[in-house]
Amino acid sequence: MGKSKMKHTPLRDLKRKGKKIESPFNKLRGVTGLSYSSWKDKRLLNCLWLCLIRTKLNQRSFVCLCHQIADRLHRLSVHGKVEVFVTHQRLASLDYDIFRWLMEPLTHVSLKDTLRPLLLVETLPDLEHWRRFLQTDPEEADDFNALGQAVWTCFDHHSQEATDVRWAKVVSFLAADKLRLPSEQSVRRITEYPDFDDQTAARPSIRALEIMFGDRTGSGDPVDGDFDAEPSWVFFLRRTPCILSDRGKLDHDVDTKAVKSAISLYGSISDHYHSCIKTTGIDPRLEASFGLVLFATSLYVEINSSSIHRLSASRIALRTIVECFINLSYLSKEDNETIWLQFRNYGIGKAKLAFLKNVDEDKTPDFIDVEKLEFFANEDYWQEFIDIDLGSWSSKTLRDIAVASSVKDVYDKHYDVLSAFSHGNWLAVRHVVFDTCLNPLHRFHRVPHTPYMDMRSATNDMGGLVNRMVDTLNTLYPGIRARLDRPA
């Protein structure tokens, strides 16, 4: 089993408190009052011009160019003309003549072409400076692709390219005389980057400095602290399409009314989701509500694509749909931002727990994809900030959730029998693999038989719950007319 490339605290070193395994970083935040700062959500776009250049140039050329700009920053600082940093927010405050002089090292034609995509981004605070400096017009198709490539290249805050961009910010702090470091070695790590010192130690220290001074400089003035990246992310959402991986389509060879209806419904819900997106950031309400309905619909397709709807697997799937239904009913009734986030974070914590249990094992179950688990555990935040909740996601039993959301009737009619199939208790075992011997002399005892293959179909029960879930989703995000076709 390959090891993770990302640093993580082993499960054995995490402390359990009650029903929660606490993240050491979350505990530290509670003690010190440190705030969370996101590279991808906020700080990346504040140095988008540097990301474009780093994507174009190799590391050595990029570092050389940044030293030329840092030298000009230093001269401005020494003469006391202005306090300058390399973020879009701070560049916007410059007089254009100073901006032009600062950016003179970029006047090479190829770099002007490299920076041309900035002119598409209407939300940049220093856009007018770039328009005057570049004196060209953007080419929409090519330039949006270039912006996408730059963001892709620097998206992972641990990557070499992102670290180089973050170093450029740190060296600007140093050049502006706003950064005091404790030793000559610490200074040389910045000024002689990437040739001085062990880079496995230098790179993390650079990233830490960029975070520390990204929100505040040594004098307490904001560098990234007052930059709002969200309008730019929304701009990209409105101006560029989603790009999906080639995972295939929800399609089956089984040409039944139930499957066709479900595939059509799945498509309608997906389309409506796209019409409701307001941000590409975390949106627990949107993603959980649509996700629960789509997940239940996908199970409906799977079960009805063959005779499985009459087999024991259909009971396990129906049990899952019941829980999705009850959870969505509760989330919708409460409709509280904290509770939506609680539902999401519980699942992320489970991904982290599964990852930590498997990542260092020589042999894992075949169905386990450790890389996927690591991705899901780190998708919203670095997993070192994620607590693991060992109880239920809402601190309530499923029955209590059903009562609170006025759907206890669904719980009562479904839960006990279906849970037998999920948990493998005697009711399910007896139903599926044993039959009654018809010999009176044997007291009608139980003997193994071929699995029971003709249970009552679960199709209608599944369909009814899915349609009720769509009704609930429609109250949260109106506009969904499609429903599953059901037999009379």
Side-chain angles (χ1 to χ4, degrees):
M1 182 67 230
K3 307 299 182 185
S4 170
K5 295 180 181 178
M6 188 180 295
K7 289 186 177 181
H8 60 271
T9 304
L11 188 59
R12 63 179 176 274
D13 294 337
L14 297 176
K15 304 300 181 185
R16 177 172 175 172
K17 186 176 181 180
K19 292 186 176 182
K20 183 173 289 186
I21 298 176
E22 294 184 326
S23 152
F25 277 79
N26 263 354
K27 191 172 182 180
L28 181 64
R29 288 172 66 196
V31 172
T32 64
L34 292 173
S35 60
Y36 178 81
S37 181
S38 171
W39 167 251
K40 68 179 176 69
D41 291 332
K42 182 175 184 178
R43 305 196 315 278
L44 185 156
L45 290 187
N46 204 11
C47 47
L48 183 57
W49 71 280
L50 289 167
C51 296
L52 284 164
I53 293 174
R54 180 59 183 90
T55 303
K56 171 72 173 179
L57 301 180
N58 60 36
Q59 184 188 46
R60 195 154 298 278
S61 298
F62 177 78
V63 168
C64 180
L65 178 67
C66 289
H67 273 303
Q68 294 177 51
I69 294 173
D71 179 65
R72 294 182 177 232
L73 286 173
H74 181 66
R75 280 189 267 169
L76 286 171
S77 177
V78 167
H79 289 92
K81 288 187 175 181
V82 67
E83 183 179 78
V84 187
F85 301 103
V86 294
T87 58
H88 288 288
Q89 185 76 3
R90 297 307 290 266
L91 291 172
S93 66
L94 297 179
D95 179 84
Y96 175 69
D97 289 336
I98 294 177
F99 176 91
R100 179 176 52 79
W101 177 79
L102 182 66
M103 296 299 178
E104 275 184 0
L106 305 179
T107 53
H108 192 281
V109 174
S110 63
L111 286 182
K112 281 199 168 187
D113 288 344
T114 299
L115 292 166
R116 187 185 64 210
L118 293 174
L119 304 182
L120 285 173
V121 190
E122 300 168 358
T123 51
L124 286 180
D126 56 346
L127 177 60
E128 192 55 39
H129 284 348
W130 289 109
R131 282 174 175 161
R132 293 180 65 183
F133 180 74
L134 297 173
Q135 295 185 346
T136 187
D137 294 318
E139 297 178 10
E140 187 162 312
D142 291 341
D143 289 348
F144 271 125
N145 286 337
L147 288 166
Q149 184 63 45
V151 171
W152 170 272
T153 300
C154 299
F155 195 76
D156 178 3
H157 66 107
H158 285 102
S159 72
Q160 183 62 65
E161 293 83 0
T163 301
D164 292 343
V165 170
R166 297 170 75 176
W167 164 82
K169 290 178 66 178
V170 173
V171 82
S172 79
F173 304 154
L174 197 62
D177 200 28
K178 292 296 181 181
L179 179 59
R180 297 286 189 272
L181 296 173
S183 66
E184 181 184 355
Q185 181 185 29
S186 299
V187 173
R188 292 181 66 188
R189 278 181 174 175
I190 307 302
T191 59
E192 299 178 36
Y193 178 82
D195 299 318
F196 177 77
D197 205 1
D198 177 8
Q199 288 301 293
T200 59
R203 286 194 295 265
S205 69
I206 288 167
R207 293 192 289 264
L209 285 169
E210 187 270 331
I211 293 173
M212 186 184 307
F213 289 92
D215 287 334
R216 297 284 164 180
T217 65
S219 62
D221 298 322
V223 174
D224 291 307
D226 58 352
F227 174 69
D228 184 6
E230 191 59 24
S232 295
W233 288 122
V234 171
F235 170 79
F236 290 138
L237 172 65
R238 299 301 176 220
R239 293 293 299 274
T240 60
C242 289
I243 302 172
L244 302 181
S245 63
D246 187 15
R247 198 162 76 175
K249 297 180 179 180
L250 183 65
D251 199 5
H252 287 271
D253 294 333
V254 179
D255 187 18
T256 67
K257 183 178 180 181
V259 171
K260 281 185 173 181
S261 173
I263 291 174
S264 175
L265 176 64
Y266 193 98
S268 296
I269 295 171
S270 297
D271 290 343
H272 191 54
Y273 177 91
H274 284 278
S275 72
C276 294
I277 296 175
K278 290 183 169 56
T279 175
T280 51
I282 298 168
D283 190 339
R285 183 181 191 261
L286 177 81
E287 294 174 23
S289 57
F290 276 87
L292 283 165
V293 177
L294 289 169
F295 179 54
T297 306
S298 72
L299 288 174
Y300 181 90
V301 172
E302 291 177 21
I303 295 303
N304 287 283
S305 295
S306 67
S307 60
I308 294 175
H309 63 98
R310 292 185 178 275
L311 305 182
S312 55
S314 69
R315 273 58 181 165
I316 298 171
L318 179 55
R319 165 69 175 78
T320 301
I321 291 175
V322 167
E323 190 150 355
C324 288
F325 170 81
I326 293 173
N327 281 333
L328 179 60
S329 298
Y330 178 72
L331 288 163
S332 174
K333 185 170 184 177
E334 295 295 320
D335 203 11
N336 179 288
E337 182 179 353
T338 300
I339 297 177
W340 288 107
L341 186 60
Q342 188 176 335
F343 175 79
R344 181 188 187 95
N345 285 344
Y346 178 83
I348 295 171
K350 288 298 186 184
K352 175 181 176 178
L353 180 62
F355 166 72
L356 293 177
K357 284 182 174 180
N358 286 280
V359 65
D360 294 321
E361 295 296 317
D362 293 327
K363 176 65 177 175
T364 60
D366 289 344
F367 80 94
I368 290 287
D369 186 335
V370 175
E371 289 184 1
K372 276 284 190 199
L373 289 174
E374 182 177 25
F375 174 79
F376 293 142
N378 289 278
E379 188 173 26
D380 287 359
Y381 307 103
W382 185 28
Q383 66 179 23
E384 293 295 314
F385 288 99
I386 302 295
D387 292 332
I388 300 170
D389 197 329
L390 301 175
S392 69
W393 74 264
S394 64
S395 302
K396 300 176 185 290
T397 65
L398 188 65
R399 181 184 183 280
D400 290 340
I401 293 175
V403 170
S405 48
S406 304
V407 291
K408 185 173 177 290
D409 61 314
V410 174
Y411 177 90
D412 287 341
K413 292 174 183 177
H414 295 81
Y415 186 82
D416 297 306
V417 171
L418 297 179
S419 289
F421 288 85
S422 296
H423 300 302
N425 74 25
W426 173 247
L427 172 59
V429 172
R430 171 64 183 86
H431 193 172
V432 176
V433 298
F434 284 98
D435 199 3
T436 302
C437 170
L438 300 179
N439 187 343
L441 300 179
H442 290 182
R443 294 189 294 180
F444 303 104
H445 69 145
R446 294 145 304 282
V447 291
H449 202 341
T450 54
Y452 193 26
M453 309 284 279
D454 195 28
M455 297 181 186
R456 294 190 175 195
S457 173
T459 297
N460 271 351
D461 298 315
M462 287 181 169
L465 289 171
V466 168
N467 278 344
R468 287 180 68 178
M469 290 179 72
V470 178
D471 292 341
T472 300
L473 180 61
N474 199 50
T475 64
L476 296 170
Y477 297 94
I480 308 173
R481 295 182 178 179
R483 298 293 187 275
L484 289 175
D485 293 332
R486 299 182 61 200

